[in-house]
């Protein structure tokens, strides 16, 4: 008797599928840019006999590409030169330097501090801020009355903060304007202060 041998052949087919999606990331890098340069413009006239309003005294050029904006700080050297008295933000007679341990006399210091205001000086500059701080005017020739002037009253100085930015500020040109009320009882001679301006990222 013959027994049939049945061989069952099982064929397994394996299909390989490729990925249907993928991604890769490319990147770039932008170096940090933070810089300020100052150029002197002009001095005031005789502060005994006339009030001076919004006189252009310094030109500032600013570069900054921090996405949170930047801060300009203004300090008064006269506040630290003398051992006594409140002398921040005052023009002081040169003779006061002979006795820096004493508070300048009434004839060596005006009765009022000078006031400062910053303004955008050039339409050709690339300013990155969306709106100006309250101490900065859009126009240097005709600043709006709503722009607030500021004084330097302490060792920490006064800050102007540009924190609403949508692009970098490149060679942004600002003018610093100074106002000083007259004082008829000042001594003859030269009055001055060194204004120190610095920039920092926010």
């Amino acid at each position: 008797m013959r027994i049939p041998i049945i061989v069952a052949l099982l064929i397994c087919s394996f299909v390989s599928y490729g990925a249907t999606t993928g991604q890769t990331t490319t990147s770039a890098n932008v170096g940090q840019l933070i810089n300020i340069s100052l150029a002197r413009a002009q001095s005031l006239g005789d502060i005994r006999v006339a009030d001076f309003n919004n006189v252009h005294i310094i030109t500032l050029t600013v570069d900054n590409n921090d996405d949170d904006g930047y801060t300009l700080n203004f300090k008064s050297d006269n506040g630290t030169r003398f051992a006594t008295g409140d002398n921040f933000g005052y023009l002081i007679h040169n003779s006061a330097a002979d006795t820096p341990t004493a508070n300048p006399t009434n004839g060596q210091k005006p009765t009022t501090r000078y006031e400062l205001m910053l303004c955008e000086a050039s339409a050709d500059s690339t300013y990155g801020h969306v709106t100006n701080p309250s101490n900065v005017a859009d126009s240097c020739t005709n600043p709006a009355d709503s722009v607030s002037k500021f004084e330097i009253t302490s060792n920490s100085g006064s800050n102007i903060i540009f924190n609403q930015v949508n692009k970098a500020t490149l060679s942004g040109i600002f003018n610093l304007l100074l106002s000083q009320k007259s004082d008829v009882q000042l001594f003859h001679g030269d009055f001055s202060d060194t204004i120190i301006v610095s920039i920092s990222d926010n």
Side-chain angles (χ1 to χ4, degrees), residues 31-192:
Q32 184 182 25
L33 180 64
I34 180 169
N35 180 59
I36 185 171
S37 61
L38 273 65
R40 186 175 176 188
Q42 69 183 67
S43 59
L44 305 182
D46 190 341
I47 59 174
R48 292 174 300 171
V49 296
D51 293 339
F52 288 88
N53 191 43
N54 295 336
V55 177
H56 175 201
I57 59 165
I58 299 173
T59 300
L60 297 79
T61 304
V62 172
D63 296 291
N64 187 268
N65 63 356
D66 185 76
D67 59 335
D68 293 324
Y70 59 96
T71 296
L72 298 179
N73 177 263
F74 298 81
K75 290 186 176 178
S76 164
D77 186 58
N78 278 346
T80 58
R81 288 179 62 202
F82 303 98
T84 59
D86 175 12
N87 299 298
F88 292 101
Y90 283 97
L91 296 173
I92 295 180
H93 194 272
N94 287 352
S95 65
D98 297 335
T99 54
T101 57
N103 191 30
T105 67
N106 292 338
Q108 293 174 318
K109 183 170 77 172
T111 56
T112 61
R113 285 184 169 92
Y114 55 78
E115 295 180 313
L116 299 172
M117 183 171 64
L118 204 61
C119 60
E120 293 182 352
S122 172
D124 297 329
S125 294
T126 301
Y127 299 102
H129 45 273
V130 180
T131 58
N132 278 328
S134 61
N135 306 114
V136 181
D138 292 327
S139 168
C140 290
T141 55
N142 189 26
D145 293 335
S146 59
V147 177
S148 302
K149 296 180 181 180
F150 64 97
E151 298 177 340
I152 304 173
T153 60
S154 70
N155 189 47
S156 60
S158 293
N159 290 330
I160 295 184
I161 303 171
F162 296 86
N163 59 5
Q164 296 182 22
V165 297
N166 64 355
K167 59 183 176 180
T169 292
L170 300 177
S171 299
I173 301 174
F174 298 90
N175 289 343
L176 185 64
L177 311 180
L178 186 146
S179 299
Q180 175 66 58
K181 294 186 182 299
S182 63
D183 186 341
V184 296
Q185 293 187 290
L186 295 175
F187 293 145
H188 158 80
D190 295 324
F191 290 76
S192 63

Side-chain angles (χ1 to χ4, degrees), residues 13-19:
S13 178
F14 296 94
V15 179
S16 177
Y17 292 97

